[in-house]
Each structure stands twice: as structure tokens, then as C-alpha cells.
Amino acid sequence: SAVISQKPSRDICQRGTSLTIQCQVDSQVTMMFWYRQQPGQSLTLIATANQGSEATYESGFVIDKFPISRPNLTFSTLTVSNMSPEDSSIYLCSGMGLAGVVGTDTQYFGPGTRLTVL
Amino acid sequence: QKEVEQNSGPLSVPEGAIASLNCTYSDRGSQSFFWYRQYSGKSPELIMSIYSNGDKEDGRFTAQLNKASQYVSLLIRDSQPSDSATYLCAVTGGTSYGKLTFGQGTILTVHP
């Protein structure tokens, strides 16, 4: 399995500002994803973080609002830009496809970043 | 658009009973099916994955898949208070490899 860490674990931000969340995996993984979990809701996929290229966004999510980087196989960042109270959520990253392990599509999740926007 | 529906909760069972959690999905191209457990304030933790029709057992947990009916379930035998959590059904595959679509979750409470 993969161990995934996120920083920060939580933050309280003012509207109009931006926050960058970091995700680190202890093993090389083929794919990394970013999800959002709004209060009392399930997880919704924001985007697939592609190494060395632009992320692939799901319907309803755009790069200007959620820019994502993935410079290598173990690290990714998600920025929540120009925040509003509606962005208050838990943001989770996940990793899938451990390098050298064939045929696995198990996703492991980081502990999440709890964001509150005032 | 892929949809995943779980039986409405919350579900309350007595300690030692069998808890049954159900999930249906709309995309017939789905290939991989997962059950995650999420404790309050924590991130999802994988319990079971299943890929073929039939049953898959792991300890007290049994996942059942019926692709013809587009149905997947999770049985928890000898339920314990520590099993109290939200259970999330997730589906992926077809043209959306790796992209998990989650159900809304079922809150399970196991009371002593």
C-alpha cells in the first residue's frame, strides 16, 4: 500500500485569497487524483493530476479555480484560488497504481485538508 | 453520467448482527468496485475491492457483485460498535479508468 500525506491538515482563510495544498506519496504511483468532500456529502472528483502536463478536470471544475501541478510521480499540489465560503470543504488527494505492481487500481487516500473560508 | 446510489440510511444494527449495505450503479462499463469506510473526521479507508461476479470474503466482510443487475453489496457479520462509520460505495472503469465515482454513503451505527 501507499502512505499519503497532505499539508496543511486544516486552514482557515479569508475570501478572495488562495491556498495551495500539497500531497506527498511515499511510493511512485501511476495516477494521482484530487477530490472534494463538502460538509455532509460524499467525495467528488475534481481532477486527475498528470505528471508533467496539465491536469484533466471533471465537469464543473476549471483550471483557473483549481490549478494543479504534478512535477513527479510522488508529489502534487492543488491550489484553491480566489476562495469563497462555498469552497469550504475537505480536499483529499489519492494515489493509484504503485510502480512495479501490475494490475492494481486500488486508490489510497491522504488524510485530507479541511478548509474553512470566512 | 455515471451514478452510484446507496441504500438510504442511517442504518442501525445491534452488536453481533449482520449489517447489509447496498449499492447500484448506472454505467454498465464499470469494471472495478470498492467499499470504503470513513470514520467521522477521517479520510476513506479501503475495506474491499471486487471485480468479478459473485462473493468475495475477507474476515467479517463479504462483498457481492452482480453485474447483470448492476448491484454490489457489503455484508458485515458479527457487527461491532467499532464498525460504526459511513460506508462509501465507489465504482470505476470503462472509459473512466481510475476515476472513482462515489455513492452518497450509508451511515452505519452498531449499538451495544
Side-chain angles (χ1 to χ4, degrees), chain B:
Chain B
Q1 184 170 349
K2 287 204 292 190
E3 292 184 354
V4 178
E5 298 287 336
Q6 295 185 235
N7 53 325
S8 59
L11 177 65
S12 181
V13 301
E15 185 174 357
I18 296 175
S20 177
L21 304 164
N22 303 314
C23 175
T24 59
Y25 58 95
S26 63
D27 185 356
R28 285 196 171 273
S30 301
Q31 298 173 338
S32 304
F33 308 87
F34 305 90
W35 283 99
Y36 285 85
R37 177 175 62 197
Q38 187 174 29
Y39 292 114
S40 180
K42 301 295 185 181
S43 63
E45 169 193 11
L46 182 69
I47 299 175
M48 293 280 286
S49 59
I50 187 166
Y51 304 94
S52 304
N53 283 327
D55 296 358
K56 179 181 178 182
E57 186 174 317
D58 184 0
R60 297 186 295 112
F61 299 96
T62 299
Q64 300 173 317
L65 175 62
N66 184 325
K67 290 186 178 181
S69 300
Q70 296 176 242
Y71 173 89
V72 59
S73 68
L74 179 70
L75 299 178
I76 306 174
R77 292 182 301 280
D78 188 24
S79 295
Q80 301 297 309
S82 59
D83 295 326
S84 298
T86 298
Y87 289 80
L88 299 164
C89 173
V91 172
T92 188
T95 58
S96 302
Y97 178 72
K99 298 181 181 180
L100 288 173
T101 299
F102 282 87
Q104 72 273 32
T106 300
I107 298 172
L108 171 66
T109 300
V110 180
H111 53 87

Side-chain angles (χ1 to χ4, degrees), chain A residues 31 33 35 37 41-43 45 48 56 58 92 96 104-112 114, chain B residues 32 34 36 38 41-46 49 51 88 92 97-105:
Chain A
M31 303 183 79
F33 303 92
Y35 292 83
Q37 187 170 29
Q41 304 294 314
S42 189
L43 282 75
L45 179 64
T48 304
T56 305
E58 298 302 302
L92 299 111
M96 188 189 86
T104 175
D105 62 353
T106 299
Q107 278 190 42
Y108 301 95
F109 284 86
R114 184 179 296 271
Chain B
S32 304
F34 305 90
Y36 285 85
Q38 187 174 29
K42 301 295 185 181
S43 63
E45 169 193 11
L46 182 69
S49 59
Y51 304 94
L88 299 164
T92 188
Y97 178 72
K99 298 181 181 180
L100 288 173
T101 299
F102 282 87
Q104 72 273 32

